[in-house]
Amino acid sequence: MTNRDTHRVIPLMDLRPSGLAVPAAAFHADTRLAANGLIADLRGRALRDLRISVTDRCNFRCNYCMPKEIFDKDYAYLKHTDLLTFEEITRLAHVFVAHGVEKIRLTGGEPLLRKNLEQLIEQLAALRTPAGKPLDITLTTNGALLARKAQSLKDAGLKRVTVSLDGLDDAVFRSMNDVDFPVANVLAGIEAARAVGLGPIKINMVVKRGTNAQEILPMARHFKGSGMVLRFIEYMDVGATNGWRMNEVMPSAEVIALLQSELPLVPLEPSAPGETAQRWGYANAQGQHDPAAGEIGVISSVTQAFCGSCNRARLSTEGQLYLCLFAEKGYDLRSLVRGSASEADVQSAIAHIWQGRTDNYSEQRSTLPADQGAPVKRVEMSYIGG
Ligand code: SAM
Ligand code: SF4
Ligand code: SF4
């Protein structure tokens, strides 16, 4: 059975809800907040990581993300004038950095489809943290345009890339991207990124039971010892259109057990606070981590929620700030940067929004009706980025 056969089509609904207004207290003289690099939300979580979606368009139609039946030629993508300009993105990023953001990930849709993306990267690469350090700037891509763009991305100041790759078998890969795109071209993109030094490269594989679980071991064999970190992601109930069902999720524990049957692994410590992936190292004959063989990661968004350390904010293509991947609405920052708001206004707005944050959807998922995930009003992942 292919992933197409199991796909449930869900009718199109309001996929881009109107934005939430910034709390009015942000603009009152006596409740105004300035950035000090230390804001925390109501669960004590800092703001460290900003994901910026630069386009809602994509050249793939992965059916766990942008199913063809919904994202067809009639789908109303954002107009160019709705998108944040590079100047607007940079202005907002500057404020996020003042609040403590140290890492920026460009995403989408497919970020490499955004024209002149290199210019944005140059602008972001010029930002400095309050301590004067450059940012960790990275990008998640499906790799289709990477062979062509790796050098110019590197020259613009991009540090590294994450490439999504759901299998090595050409037929499986073509069926999952659903536009018949050959796997060899993505592998060439990965090689180009490696050759220009866009590393360490991470490879993201979404595992969907019944679709590509048979690719887990071939993927692990292929990337073991390559210096690249392969990460297995549990298929998530993001958005409102992918027809998610729990029985298509392969829990990370099962992925690890499968890998262990052939490639012994040892658990590794997290390398950074708020890290989404649990790290496992390939073991040597003595049962110790062999750094030359490298490591893998599992991102257990469904079976082991990591909301407690979630320090990520998401800026949508049209400038709405989302506090969670599973949020139904975002806060409209575009009207601030397009209006007469000062830098101090934007600082105070972001501080008030983040300080009121309580989101922990993945922790609540288990309390929702079995097998369904949350009611389907959530925004699409292609719009706020992964
Ligand atoms: N187009 C780029 C790409 O695919 O890498 C960037 C955007 S994509 C939305 C970001 C990441 O989200 C990808 O690694 C993709 O595999 C992942 N993703 C999308 N839908 C998902 C889902 N339902 N469950 C888990 N991961 C998903
Ligand atoms: Fe496009 Fe990435 Fe979504 Fe696939 S996962 S449809 S490549 S945005
Ligand atoms: Fe963060 Fe929301 Fe994911 Fe929890 S569910 S880890 S709060 S994005």
Side-chain angles (χ1 to χ4, degrees), residues 124-156:
L124 296 174
L127 298 177
R128 292 290 175 272
T129 67
K133 288 201 298 191
L135 302 176
D136 179 12
I137 301 177
T138 179
L139 173 146
T140 304
T141 173
N142 61 27
L145 299 171
L146 196 51
R148 220 181 297 164
K149 291 195 164 244
Q151 187 66 58
S152 61
L153 293 168
K154 174 74 180 173
D155 294 345

Side-chain angles (χ1 to χ4, degrees), residues 41 43 45 236 276 301 304-314 322-327 354 357-365 384:
D41 70 9
R43 295 178 190 271
R45 300 170 293 190
M236 287 187 285
T276 50
S301 336
Q304 253 188 294
F306 38 79
C307 303
S309 59
C310 180
N311 53 19
R312 289 178 294 285
R314 293 179 159 84
Y322 281 81
L323 301 180
C324 175
L325 186 53
F326 298 89
W354 188 264
R357 177 181 187 245
T358 56
D359 302 64
N360 67 338
Y361 170 75
S362 285
E363 287 176 353
Q364 296 171 32
R365 185 189 282 108
I384 52 169

Side-chain angles (χ1 to χ4, degrees), residues 33 36 38-43 323 349-358:
L33 295 169
N36 61 4
L38 297 171
I39 52 170
D41 70 9
L42 288 171
R43 295 178 190 271
L323 301 180
I350 293 173
H352 274 269
I353 295 167
W354 188 264
Q355 288 195 346
R357 177 181 187 245
T358 56

Side-chain angles (χ1 to χ4, degrees), residues 249-358:
V249 177
M250 180 154 171
S252 295
E254 248 182 79
V255 173
I256 295 294
L258 176 65
L259 291 169
Q260 295 268 33
S261 68
E262 179 183 318
L263 304 162
L265 295 165
V266 287
L268 302 177
E269 291 297 317
S271 55
E275 189 169 50
T276 50
Q278 288 164 316
R279 300 168 59 215
W280 292 78
Y282 289 112
N284 59 19
Q286 290 71 45
Q288 269 145 10
H289 179 214
D290 172 7
E295 63 181 80
I296 57 116
V298 287
I299 303 185
S300 319
S301 336
V302 177
T303 60
Q304 253 188 294
F306 38 79
C307 303
S309 59
C310 180
N311 53 19
R312 289 178 294 285
R314 293 179 159 84
L315 188 59
S316 80
T317 316
E318 57 180 342
Q320 295 197 8
L321 172 58
Y322 281 81
L323 301 180
C324 175
L325 186 53
F326 298 89
E328 290 177 17
K329 283 178 185 281
Y331 292 85
D332 181 14
L333 297 186
R334 189 184 63 190
S335 62
L336 288 186
V337 286
R338 288 207 179 154
S340 55
S342 65
E343 165 121 358
D345 291 333
V346 181
Q347 273 193 21
S348 184
I350 293 173
H352 274 269
I353 295 167
W354 188 264
Q355 288 195 346
R357 177 181 187 245
T358 56

